[in-house]
Amino acid sequence: MLMSLASAWIVLPAVLLAGGLIGASGIGGVLLVPVLTKLGAVPLPQAIAAASLGFALPALVALRPLMRERAQAARCVPLLAGALAGAAAGALLVRWLPAAALMTGVTLLVLFSGWRGLRASAMKSEPAAPLGTPVLLALGIAVGLGSALTGTGGPVLVLPLLMLLRQPVVFAVVAAQAVQLPVALASSTVHAIEGRLDLRLAALCGLLMLAGSIAGQRAAAGLNMRQLQRFVSLLLLAVGAWFAWLLLA
């Protein structure tokens, strides 16, 4: 396995925490690649590949709310289809495009979305009309492409974008959790074909995030709509600050 045993005692609890945040809001997976590279000394291409497959297991937990909410599930289909195609293309391009430039854009998007989400929560603004199929499909392609290039799993892009478009926070969180699965399947397949995927590391990360995701989903179930939006917005600001620190370090 690429990760050393000496660093495992720091890395593994951090991966478990990432899973908990995935279950609660969908965006905890952004921690995984930085944790693997900065704390576990895993090379960036291998860390992105392991994270891509690892996100598949916590994504399965997100399918439970979709099964209970058939209307929400139907709305997610174009988004997930677009993400599948975009992630495959992104995994093919990951060796050529500069990750730092992409992460700068992601950081600005996340910070702005968190700030705007807090303002919307304070002002009690009404959600916008549901997005149409073409818009969701295009959004999914962009999210899949960006997620595969940065190893962020999908939610950190789709959640702020949906919040910026004033979609209901419940739909945004469910879509953010579900989008991990097509991104994971498409991008990890390409990474495996190109020889970058460490299956043992990916499986370990996936199992830890799965356990954390189940716990996080149960914890978030007790939040009302306004509390959930405030929690997600604050988490976006924290993630944006984390990304900014990584870019400047």
Side-chain angles (χ1 to χ4, degrees):
M1 188 180 296
L2 292 168
M3 184 175 60
S4 66
L5 293 176
S7 61
W9 69 276
I10 299 176
V11 173
L12 299 185
V15 175
L16 188 64
L17 173 63
L21 294 174
I22 288 173
S25 66
I27 61 174
V30 298
L31 300 175
L32 187 54
V33 170
V35 162
L36 291 177
T37 54
K38 301 291 184 180
L39 302 180
V42 177
L44 182 60
Q46 284 75 21
I48 290 176
S52 297
L53 182 56
F55 290 134
L57 288 181
L60 293 175
V61 177
L63 296 181
R64 292 190 302 172
L66 283 178
M67 294 302 101
R68 293 195 299 266
E69 300 286 344
R70 298 304 174 94
Q72 301 280 29
R75 286 188 61 198
C76 284
V77 170
L79 180 73
L80 303 186
L84 186 69
L92 289 170
L93 295 173
V94 72
R95 65 174 66 183
W96 292 293
L97 295 182
L102 292 165
M103 287 305 297
T104 300
V106 171
T107 300
L108 293 174
L109 171 65
V110 168
L111 286 171
F112 179 71
S113 300
W115 170 77
R116 182 165 175 173
L118 283 180
R119 285 194 63 196
S121 177
M123 295 186 297
K124 301 181 181 179
S125 62
E126 291 296 322
L131 299 175
T133 296
V135 176
L136 287 172
L137 183 63
L139 192 65
I141 292 173
V143 166
L145 184 66
S147 301
L149 288 169
T150 56
T152 50
V156 75
L157 289 176
V158 75
L159 185 57
L161 285 171
L162 288 174
M163 290 182 67
L164 284 175
L165 294 170
R166 292 174 45 225
Q167 296 302 292
V169 67
V170 171
F171 170 69
V173 170
V174 169
Q177 292 172 330
V179 80
Q180 295 171 103
L181 190 56
V183 170
L185 294 177
S187 58
S188 60
T189 298
V190 175
H191 289 308
I193 291 171
E194 298 198 349
R196 293 190 292 267
L197 183 60
D198 184 323
L199 287 174
R200 290 182 298 169
L201 179 60
L204 178 60
C205 291
L207 289 171
L208 286 170
M209 287 193 295
L210 175 63
S213 183
I214 294 171
Q217 193 175 89
R218 290 176 178 173
L223 298 176
N224 63 35
M225 193 75 65
R226 192 171 180 185
Q227 288 174 326
L228 181 61
Q229 177 154 345
R230 185 171 180 81
F231 170 72
V232 169
S233 299
L234 289 171
L235 189 55
L236 284 170
L237 290 173
V239 167
W242 164 256
F243 278 177
W245 179 80
L246 290 176
L247 288 169
L248 296 173

